[in-house]
């Protein structure tokens, strides 16, 4: 079964600094990978997804992620953090088996942005 | 706004009771997924329906059941509630059965007292 591991349950950066949130996946088939963001008391919002096309994926709000097969990684980055980026971020992999498809999520990384 | 509507937003109930959570998917989406989010377990997949039929099952307790109606809305029924069932329950929808792109609702926060 496919799975994802998010390294670091809490990341703290200064406003204007680089944001790097780490995600490693395990999959026996070419994966579909996703990053979602959850603001306090909100649902999950899709930031970006990788579906085996371009390895560098651009998403909303200035975020991007690079799929690296050799490292089984799909890290999320943003060049300059804004206060509004403070939220919890989830990496997910689409599990597939027969006719069953579902998203399996990592434990999440809470991003804090300091002024 | 994702277009996925969940009601109610908050629910407080006593142990042993039964509740129903409702989800209206985005217009035209045929798949509905239910997830449970708790502090200790994180986001756990419960069940998926596609066009009225159960398609995949995850870590769903026998006390829980779901269905998808002809108008494509879905309900998650939780019975014999226990304190440990307190969590945020999310519904997501996608246009296909393959979770190519899933859109999440705002969730229902269930508190069992």
């Amino acid at each position: 079964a496919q799975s994802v591991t998010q390294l670091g349950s809490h990341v703290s950066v200064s406003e204007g600094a680089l944001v790097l949130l780490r995600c490693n996946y395990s999959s026996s088939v070419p994966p579909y990978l996703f990053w979602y963001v959850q603001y306090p008391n909100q649902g999950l919002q899709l930031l970006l997804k990788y579906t085996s096309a371009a390895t560098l994926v651009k998403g909303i709000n200035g975020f991007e992620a690079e799929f690296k097969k050799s490292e089984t990684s799909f890290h999320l980055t943003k060049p300059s953090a804004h206060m509004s980026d403070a939220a919890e971020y989830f990496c997910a992999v689409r599990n597939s088996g027969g006719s069953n498809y579902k998203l399996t999520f990592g434990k999440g990384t809470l991003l804090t942005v300091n002024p | 706004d994702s277009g996925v509507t969940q009601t109610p937003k908050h629910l407080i109930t006593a142990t042993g009771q039964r509740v129903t959570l409702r989800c209206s998917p985005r217009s035209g989406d045929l798949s509905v997924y239910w997830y449970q989010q708790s502090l200790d377990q994180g986001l756990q997949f419960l069940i998926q329906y596609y066009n009225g039929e159960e398609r995949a099952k995850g870590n769903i307790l026998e006390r829980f059941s779901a269905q998808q109606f002809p108008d494509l809305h879905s309900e998650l029924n939780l019975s014999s509630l226990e304190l440990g069932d307190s969590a945020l329950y999310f519904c997501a929808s996608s246009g296909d059965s393959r979770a190519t792109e899933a859109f999440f609702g705002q969730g229902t926060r269930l508190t069992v007292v």
Side-chain angles (χ1 to χ4, degrees):
Chain A
Q2 291 86 347
S3 64
V4 291
T5 301
Q6 291 184 242
L7 302 176
S9 60
H10 188 192
V11 170
S12 183
V13 301
S14 298
E15 193 173 17
L18 171 71
V19 175
L20 171 61
L21 304 182
R22 300 176 188 271
C23 173
N24 287 89
Y25 70 90
S26 170
S27 177
S28 58
V29 299
Y32 277 29
L33 295 160
F34 306 82
W35 276 100
Y36 281 85
V37 60
Q38 185 179 26
Y39 298 100
N41 301 313
Q42 299 283 321
L44 281 80
Q45 181 182 6
L46 181 65
L47 275 177
L48 48 82
K49 64 178 182 179
Y50 168 77
T51 58
S52 73
T55 57
L56 183 61
V57 181
K58 294 187 183 299
I60 61 171
N61 301 339
F63 284 94
E64 63 181 37
E66 187 173 7
F67 173 74
K68 291 187 177 180
K69 185 177 179 180
S70 60
E71 298 177 8
T72 61
S73 69
F74 189 57
H75 302 333
L76 182 71
T77 60
K78 182 174 180 177
S80 176
H82 295 158
M83 297 295 290
S84 60
D85 294 328
E88 189 153 24
Y89 292 79
F90 293 91
C91 181
V93 63
R94 188 186 73 171
N95 273 11
S96 58
S99 61
N100 299 330
Y101 295 87
K102 62 179 182 181
L103 296 181
T104 297
F105 288 86
K107 295 285 189 185
T109 297
L110 182 64
L111 175 66
T112 302
V113 182
N114 303 307
Chain B
D1 184 3
S2 67
V4 179
T5 303
Q6 289 187 248
T7 57
K9 287 189 177 179
H10 301 276
L11 200 48
I12 302 175
T13 189
T15 55
Q17 295 298 305
R18 172 189 169 95
V19 297
T20 297
L21 313 184
R22 182 188 170 103
C23 169
S24 294
R26 290 190 322 153
S27 177
D29 282 359
L30 299 178
S31 267
V32 169
Y33 307 80
W34 286 98
Y35 283 82
Q36 179 193 59
Q37 186 180 36
S38 61
L39 282 176
D40 53 343
Q41 296 290 324
L43 274 158
Q44 295 286 315
F45 169 72
L46 295 178
I47 197 164
Q48 177 203 1
Y49 277 83
Y50 178 74
N51 203 19
E53 294 187 358
E54 182 183 303
R55 185 58 69 98
K57 239 177 180 177
N59 302 322
I60 188 166
L61 300 172
E62 284 192 11
R63 300 183 284 110
F64 296 180
S65 64
Q67 54 184 327
Q68 186 179 28
F69 294 86
D71 67 353
L72 301 178
H73 91 271
S74 178
E75 293 180 356
L76 179 67
N77 300 296
L78 315 176
S79 61
S80 303
L81 285 167
E82 302 174 359
L83 295 177
D85 298 327
S86 295
L88 200 49
Y89 291 85
F90 284 110
C91 165
S93 75
S94 67
D96 59 13
S97 65
R98 302 186 172 196
T100 307
E101 186 162 345
F103 295 86
F104 281 75
Q106 303 255 326
T108 294
R109 182 168 295 282
L110 173 66
T111 303
V112 183
V113 298

